[in-house]
């Protein structure tokens, strides 16, 4: 039974680090005039109404995208992708990863969107029905990913964005990445993970660090845990395999300021190579 719904979390600080990384990778892929494929293993609901009951219940966007939308460190292309969903100039809607991908898609680029949840996949099918070169799979993204590799075209980005509400998501992510990499070692893989007070994501990082996969970059934002805080998310990270040239420097320049704006003055960012060349 899947209970997670991204509508409660749309536009939070985790979405910001995830989607700005996605944008920077699309910009790098578009430096060449060759088509790419974008594979989203956990697509979610395409875009989100920030005035919905779910979004208002948590108010997470107000401590996320709302805090940085006008920040000079935010990449302009990401700001534009958000504002495309808000033509009246306010911040009423937030684009999820499929919508960000579509904002950058050129004529010959392909999108593959996987989603397991019945209601969410119905939304994905409905909202993408007029998009070109877009395939929606109602299936488990961990199993689906290795099944479609190596892709045509052979260059592109895989986004793996589980909720990790189910503990096995950590091992399933590590296994899916290892299997996928064996079939497509030149793809770019961007994997989001939470930083919790109890450090469960270390398992995922250790598994991939010891997998033999090279060129793994890890970018994180986090605030210190408060006294007595024993559970919950205090930040998040992106693990990127085969990152484009200079992505490390770009993230190093922009993440510290964005982390402080969203997570408070004592928040920090770090960008490190988990595995080198
Ligand atoms: C964190 S949300 C995705 C958010 C989206 N990637 C974005 O950035 O806008 C995770 C999504 O994965 C879906 N999901 C959960 N388990 C899955 C699985 N094994 N395969 C595919 N989708 C799954 C959930 O229904 C949920 O919509």
């Amino acid at each position: 039974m899947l209970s997670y719904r991204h509508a409660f979390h749309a536009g939070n600080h985790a979405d910001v680090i995830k989607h700005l990384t996605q944008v920077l990778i699309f910009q790098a892929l578009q430096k060449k005039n060759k088509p790419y494929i974008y594979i989203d293993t956990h697509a979610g609901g395409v875009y989100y109404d920030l005035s919905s009951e779910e979004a208002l219940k948590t108010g997470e966007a107000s401590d996320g995208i709302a805090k940085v939308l006008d920040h000079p460190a935010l990449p302009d292309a990401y700001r534009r992708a958000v504002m495309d969903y808000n033509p009246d100039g306010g911040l009423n809607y937030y684009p999820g990863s499929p919508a960000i991908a579509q904002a950058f898609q050129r004529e010959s680029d392909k999108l593959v969107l996987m989603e397991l949840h019945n209601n969410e996949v119905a939304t994905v099918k409905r909202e993408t029905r007029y998009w070109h070169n877009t395939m929606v799979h109602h299936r488990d993204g961990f199993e689906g990913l290795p099944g479609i590799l190596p892709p045509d075209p052979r260059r592109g980005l895989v986004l793996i964005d589980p909720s990790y509400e189910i503990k096995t998501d950590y091992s399933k992510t590590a296994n899916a990445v290892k299997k996928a990499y064996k079939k497509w070692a030149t793809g770019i893989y961007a994997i989001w993970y939470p930083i919790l007070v109890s450090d469960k994501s270390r398992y995922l990082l250790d598994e991939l660090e010891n997998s033999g996969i090279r060129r793994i970059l890890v970018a994180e934002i986090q605030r210190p845990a408060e006294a007595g805080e024993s559970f919950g998310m205090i930040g998040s990270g992106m693990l990127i395999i085969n990152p484009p040239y200079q992505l490390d420097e770009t993230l190093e320049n922009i993440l510290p300021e964005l982390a402080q704006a969203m997570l408070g003055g004592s928040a920090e960012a770090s960008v490190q190579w988990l595995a080198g060349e």
Side-chain angles (χ1 to χ4, degrees), residues 142-276:
F142 297 120
E143 289 172 14
L145 173 64
I148 60 163
L149 300 182
D152 176 23
R154 291 285 171 106
R155 61 194 298 266
L157 167 65
V158 177
L159 178 70
I160 304 181
D161 181 26
S163 69
Y164 300 96
E165 284 201 330
I166 307 169
K167 256 203 275 176
T168 50
D169 276 1
Y170 292 97
S171 55
K172 285 187 176 178
T173 299
N175 291 337
V177 171
K178 286 189 237 174
K179 275 192 204 158
Y181 187 83
K182 275 198 188 121
K183 293 185 144 188
W184 188 35
T186 53
I188 302 170
Y189 297 83
I191 300 137
W192 178 85
Y193 58 90
I195 300 178
L196 306 170
V197 184
S198 61
D199 193 6
K200 291 191 193 134
S201 298
R202 196 62 241 174
Y203 167 84
L204 175 62
L205 300 187
D206 287 346
E207 279 292 299
L208 293 176
E209 185 176 8
N210 297 320
S211 65
I213 297 175
R214 310 309 301 163
R215 304 199 69 240
I216 307 181
L217 186 70
V218 165
E220 297 185 339
I221 55 172
Q222 75 180 99
R223 61 165 175 82
E226 284 163 17
E229 195 176 4
S230 57
F231 68 95
M233 188 165 80
I234 54 172
S236 71
M238 291 300 293
L239 183 149
I240 307 135
I241 300 172
N242 295 325
Y245 178 59
Q246 289 182 333
L247 182 67
D248 50 349
E249 286 173 31
T250 308
L251 291 173
E252 241 161 31
N253 286 334
I254 64 178
L255 285 184
E257 287 186 61
L258 297 180
Q260 289 187 355
M262 294 187 289
L263 291 164
S266 48
E268 289 184 350
S270 72
V271 179
Q272 287 172 337
W273 287 92
L274 193 64

Side-chain angles (χ1 to χ4, degrees), residues 101-177:
Q102 196 243 354
F104 285 84
Q105 185 186 21
R106 300 163 302 178
E107 196 57 33
S108 47
D109 299 327
K110 282 187 191 165
L111 310 188
V112 178
L113 310 173
M114 299 180 192
E115 169 61 50
L116 190 57
H117 194 290
N118 290 344
N119 293 339
E120 224 66 313
V121 81
T123 305
V124 180
K125 285 186 177 162
R126 188 181 66 243
E127 295 299 334
T128 64
R129 66 196 183 282
Y130 299 124
W131 295 11
H132 72 279
N133 275 346
T134 301
M135 273 162 293
V136 179
H137 297 282
H138 184 190
R139 67 179 301 183
D140 183 322
F142 297 120
E143 289 172 14
L145 173 64
I148 60 163
L149 300 182
D152 176 23
R154 291 285 171 106
R155 61 194 298 266
L157 167 65
V158 177
L159 178 70
I160 304 181
D161 181 26
S163 69
Y164 300 96
E165 284 201 330
I166 307 169
K167 256 203 275 176
T168 50
D169 276 1
Y170 292 97
S171 55
K172 285 187 176 178
T173 299
N175 291 337
V177 171

Side-chain angles (χ1 to χ4, degrees), residues 26-119:
F26 286 139
Q27 286 185 312
L29 283 166
Q30 295 194 356
K31 285 192 177 146
K32 281 195 188 149
N33 195 18
K34 287 183 179 169
Y36 63 76
I37 189 164
Y38 169 73
I39 302 169
D40 198 327
T41 60
H42 294 68
V46 184
Y47 73 93
Y48 303 90
D49 179 352
L50 296 178
S51 64
S52 70
E53 208 178 301
E54 294 90 336
L56 289 177
K57 187 165 180 191
T58 57
E60 290 188 19
S62 58
D63 283 328
I65 188 64
K67 286 260 167 72
V68 293
L69 193 56
D70 296 324
H71 199 293
L74 198 81
D76 277 334
Y78 175 29
R79 188 178 1 260
R80 277 197 301 276
V82 175
M83 293 320 292
D84 280 353
Y85 272 78
N86 293 282
D88 63 359
L91 179 59
N92 301 309
Y93 294 94
Y94 184 75
S97 52
I100 302 262
Q102 196 243 354
F104 285 84
Q105 185 186 21
R106 300 163 302 178
E107 196 57 33
S108 47
D109 299 327
K110 282 187 191 165
L111 310 188
V112 178
L113 310 173
M114 299 180 192
E115 169 61 50
L116 190 57
H117 194 290
N118 290 344
N119 293 339

Side-chain angles (χ1 to χ4, degrees), residues 13-25:
H13 59 80
D15 267 2
V16 171
I17 182 172
K18 181 198 315 169
H19 296 149
L20 76 82
T21 304
Q22 199 189 348
V23 166
L24 294 171
I25 295 172

